[in-house]
Amino acid sequence: MFNKILIANRGEIACRVIKTARALGIATVAVHSDADADARFVKLADEAYRLGPAPAADSYLRGDLILDIARRSGAQAIHPGYGFLSENEDFAAACEAAGIAFIGPPASAIAAMGSKSAAKALMERAQVPLVPGYHGERQESDFLRGQADAIGYPVLIKASAGGGGKGMRIVEASADFEAALASCQREARASFGNDKVLVEKYLPRSRHVEIQVFADSHGQCVYLFERDCSVQRRHQKVLEEAPAPDLPPATREAMGAAACAAARAVGYVGAGTVEFIMEVLADGSPGRFFFMEMNTRLQVEHPVTEMITGQDLVAWQLAVASGQPLPLTQDQLSISGHAIEARIYAEDPDKGFLPATGTLFHLRAPTESAVVRIDTGVAAGDGISPFYDPMIAKLIVWGEDRRQALQRLDAALADYQVAGVTTNIPFLRRIVQHASFAGGQVDTGLIARHHDALLPPPAAPEAEQLALLALAEALAAPGAYPASAGWRLNGALSRSLVFHIAGHDYPVTLRHLGDGFEIAAAGRQFSAAGSLDGASLRARLDDKQLEAVVARSGQQRVLFAAGQRLEAQWLDPLAVAAEDVHGETHLKAPMPGRIVALLAATGVKLNKGEPLLILEAMKMEHTIPAPADGVVKAFYFGTGEQVNDGDELVDFEAE
């Protein structure tokens, strides 16, 4: 076994690898960009070395620098995590040439599976079932469109070198093919440096089921059962669970055998995931399954497999990479209970899941236990950078059955408190509570099919929530009542507060009665009292006792109460409001990025929602729509130009 390894990654996966290495007595070396100099994984590692500036191309993708640091630090092996260099056959080969073990498959296996087109040809020879499609070398737009026409719509255009949901587009009709192809290729070039695509038949009702495989250098290969990753948005996984709901044992065994056949076909060694797409029949039961791709690395969702098997897959990786045989044989592996993972992201589901950046000025996670696990790379006070994936944490729960796991997941999500960025936690809770998901009726179209229920318009705040915000505001400065602006003496000290929530102002009147307060909010009156300890609020509203948290930063207030989160801006009457000198006609960049296309002409009337431009950020394309009926007066940036968060993009004149 190694005594020192280098981790060529960042964030939660770097922390995850460090945890197992430390348990095994293996020293760890971290490498970091300038943006990550103070990150959690850097502090956890035994040693840390600077790589370069924040952009991944100048840091985490610099295999030459990483190998040099490995030599200087005396690391015997490199763990690539996932993403970055984890599926780069040139880097794996360079490690081997340098005499440093690559904790992953051989370069030849990565190369064989790295191209989706080549991998599908290989799987066809290995008699692994494939989805009908074109996986060849020709990439002319007209030719690919002809292939799509022959396959029959809908079709899926997919980046051949892709992964993580990037470089994928569903096309419903021939007339839409060319634009979708161009967008897919742009995103593929930005994400993978390769714009080659394949075209496949898209199955409207399908499930995404993947098999965890493991092989050693002694010729053994096993599968550690399946994970269902069907709940997706924009082809990116949202929830993953193991085992897959209602999967017949015979189908599980057949998929496992096919996955091991795929691994053996490329001489695989280490951890890998063979992904299948599975038909959903008219009665909702699973039908045929087809090979999609093989990920030649550890998956983001590997913890659910660990929870149901009781195995540490990183420990398995280290053992296999050091030349040891697999710890267990196939007949020694079994499934225990049910596990579900929720990916908690800094993103705004109400704005098309636009990634969010900012500082986590408040972060409180559920208590970890044998049945609740949190894999994270951030702590309170850390920033979510525009340079990397905006994941905050992975929340994994275990139950004796799926019903219990769902119940525990919902409770843990309700306990998760994040302030400083918008998150997808409320969206995750709505999925978990939805009857279709709770009933196991999962497929890749679940979110789109139940869009209105899962993404409802923001609700007006409840009177009780407004009262708690006002009470916390008063308790935060108990001696300031007479001197504060807005207080007046008319038998009792009284003040008007205004909270700006989801685009609307909500006034609250608060009267100081000596031993408490009288609060009027949203048509209700409350007799209130309480105490504030930091962000923790203990309150009494009439005869009801409540505990809440009110996180504060500048004018921002985030209330956590009864499992709900409410974000507000306190409109301080003493603060001078910052006026936008250009008015509401100037659209600003929601985050840093690059303009990849201007889609509207100046002076031409547009309808609300029509696309104005495409902004590439975090290697994903985001379309900026017209906010109302009107015309574009001017674009302030051209195609290919970089923009910063808040830069004015468009002078748009609304009717």
Side-chain angles (χ1 to χ4, degrees):
M1 178 55 73
F2 314 113
N3 56 45
K4 181 185 279 191
I5 65 170
L6 181 147
I7 302 164
N9 217 296
R10 64 175 300 280
E12 67 86 14
I13 187 58
C15 296
R16 164 72 189 91
V17 175
I18 290 169
K19 181 179 179 181
T20 288
R22 179 166 292 164
L24 296 174
I26 300 171
T28 55
V29 179
V31 291
H32 65 85
S33 71
D34 291 341
D36 284 335
D38 296 318
R40 181 172 181 259
F41 75 94
V42 173
K43 297 172 183 175
L44 288 176
D46 297 296
E47 302 173 37
Y49 293 78
R50 176 185 180 270
L51 276 175
D58 299 324
S59 52
Y60 296 107
L61 292 175
R62 287 291 303 274
D64 56 336
L65 296 180
I66 291 169
L67 276 171
D68 180 61
I69 292 169
R71 294 187 195 97
R72 289 192 283 128
S73 66
Q76 301 155 303
I78 294 177
H79 195 302
Y82 52 74
F84 296 131
L85 295 171
S86 63
E87 295 181 282
N88 186 308
E89 65 266 25
D90 293 335
F91 181 67
C95 290
E96 183 179 356
I100 296 173
F102 180 75
I103 303 173
S108 58
I110 298 175
M113 290 298 186
S115 166
K116 289 181 172 63
S117 301
K120 286 178 184 292
L122 187 64
M123 293 303 100
E124 190 171 27
R125 291 196 294 273
Q127 298 185 324
V128 177
L130 300 177
V131 178
Y134 176 73
H135 313 123
E137 295 297 317
R138 293 189 61 179
Q139 295 292 295
E140 307 95 301
S141 176
D142 290 345
F143 175 80
L144 291 175
R145 179 173 175 174
Q147 294 295 309
D149 292 346
I151 294 166
Y153 295 90
V155 299
L156 180 67
I157 307 173
K158 186 187 304 184
S160 184
K166 298 180 178 68
M168 297 175 69
R169 297 291 185 275
I170 298 169
V171 186
E172 299 285 351
S174 182
D176 302 328
F177 187 87
E178 188 173 346
L181 174 64
S183 177
C184 183
Q185 289 174 326
R186 282 194 304 267
E187 198 166 277
R189 276 194 300 272
S191 298
F192 316 113
N194 184 340
D195 64 2
K196 184 181 176 184
V197 302
L198 52 85
V199 182
E200 292 182 338
K201 179 68 178 176
Y202 179 71
L203 304 177
R205 289 292 305 275
S206 62
R207 290 169 64 175
H208 181 142
V209 180
E210 59 189 34
I211 300 290
Q212 175 72 62
V213 295
F214 238 104
D216 61 23
S217 56
H218 304 277
Q220 302 176 83
C221 183
V222 300
Y223 65 93
L224 288 87
F225 312 108
E226 81 281 357
R227 298 184 286 259
D228 193 304
C229 308
S230 300
V231 180
Q232 303 177 6
R233 54 95 185 155
R234 292 179 66 176
H235 310 294
Q236 289 189 305
K237 300 166 186 174
V238 176
L239 293 168
E240 301 102 350
E241 57 185 309
D246 302 321
L247 190 70
T251 303
R252 174 178 296 120
E253 187 174 345
M255 295 180 77
C260 287
R264 292 190 182 99
V266 294
Y268 202 81
V269 175
T273 300
V274 182
E275 301 196 353
F276 295 96
I277 189 167
M278 176 181 287
E279 284 183 312
V280 176
L281 302 180
D283 62 358
S285 61
R288 297 173 298 169
F289 61 87
F290 305 97
F291 174 86
M292 280 202 302
E293 62 185 358
M294 183 175 187
N295 290 311
T296 53
R297 54 171 167 77
L298 197 66
Q299 290 281 89
V300 177
E301 58 271 20
H302 77 274
V304 293
T305 296
E306 295 183 323
M307 295 285 262
I308 66 163
T309 61
Q311 303 301 311
D312 183 330
L313 297 190
V314 174
W316 278 46
Q317 283 187 299
L318 294 169
V320 167
S322 65
Q324 298 177 28
L326 291 175
L328 297 175
T329 61
Q330 190 67 62
D331 59 3
Q332 292 175 310
L333 291 163
S334 60
I335 296 173
S336 173
H338 198 96
I340 308 177
E341 174 179 298
R343 300 187 187 193
I344 296 175
Y345 276 101
E347 63 184 11
D348 191 344
D350 294 329
K351 295 181 179 178
F353 296 93
L354 194 70
T357 58
T359 300
L360 303 173
F361 66 82
H362 174 83
L363 181 62
R364 207 178 277 183
T367 303
E368 291 196 74
S369 66
V371 297
V372 176
R373 168 177 165 179
I374 298 164
D375 286 10
T376 186
V378 298
D382 288 350
I384 301 298
S385 163
F387 296 104
Y388 313 115
D389 186 87
M391 181 188 286
I392 294 172
K394 301 184 309 195
L395 172 62
I396 311 102
V397 301
W398 180 91
E400 293 181 1
D401 54 28
R402 189 171 186 267
R403 180 203 59 77
Q404 188 180 70
L406 282 171
Q407 188 173 9
R408 284 177 172 160
L409 178 59
D410 188 45
L413 286 168
D415 285 345
Y416 222 121
Q417 299 177 5
V418 182
V421 294
T422 304
T423 76
N424 63 340
I425 291 176
F427 171 68
L428 292 171
R429 290 197 71 195
R430 287 192 288 270
I431 297 175
V432 171
Q433 295 170 359
H434 196 277
S436 290
F437 182 75
Q441 300 164 31
V442 294
D443 63 68
T444 56
L446 185 142
I447 291 176
R449 191 165 54 252
H450 300 292
H451 178 276
D452 292 348
L454 298 176
L455 293 163
E462 297 176 1
E464 193 172 272
Q465 292 176 308
L466 294 171
L468 290 172
L469 283 171
L471 180 61
E473 213 60 48
L475 294 172
Y481 302 130
S484 292
W487 290 99
R488 61 184 183 276
L489 194 63
N490 58 349
L493 294 173
S494 176
R495 188 180 185 185
S496 293
L497 301 135
V498 179
F499 295 100
H500 187 74
I501 301 169
H504 300 279
D505 290 346
Y506 294 91
V508 181
T509 301
L510 188 147
R511 298 179 67 223
H512 186 212
L513 303 178
D515 59 348
F517 303 90
E518 183 179 271
I519 299 174
R524 289 187 60 185
Q525 292 265 114
F526 298 94
S527 171
S531 61
L532 189 67
D533 182 9
S536 298
L537 173 67
R538 298 193 67 180
R540 175 186 59 77
L541 298 181
D542 295 333
D543 59 354
K544 185 177 181 179
Q545 300 282 345
L546 302 102
E547 292 196 4
V549 167
V550 181
R552 301 153 53 90
S553 178
Q555 305 304 112
Q556 189 175 6
R557 306 290 183 263
V558 184
L559 170 70
F560 300 94
Q564 302 298 315
R565 178 185 188 274
L566 179 67
E567 186 170 335
Q569 289 290 122
W570 171 52
L571 302 185
D572 185 351
L574 295 180
V576 178
E579 296 290 338
D580 183 351
V581 297
H582 297 292
E584 297 181 351
T585 62
H586 284 234
L587 302 183
K588 296 183 178 183
M591 62 194 311
R594 182 175 68 91
I595 305 297
V596 297
L598 301 178
L599 304 178
T602 57
V604 177
K605 183 179 178 181
L606 297 170
N607 296 321
K608 179 180 179 180
E610 286 194 68
L612 298 177
L613 58 86
I614 297 176
L615 175 70
E616 180 191 275
M618 295 183 179
K619 296 186 178 180
M620 297 286 283
E621 290 190 354
H622 307 279
T623 300
I624 307 298
D629 294 346
V631 297
V632 174
K633 296 177 68 178
F635 286 106
Y636 294 121
F637 291 88
T639 301
E641 291 188 295
Q642 292 290 135
V643 301
N644 295 315
D645 185 11
D647 280 352
E648 293 173 348
L649 300 178
V650 186
D651 186 355
F652 184 84
E653 185 174 13
E655 289 186 347

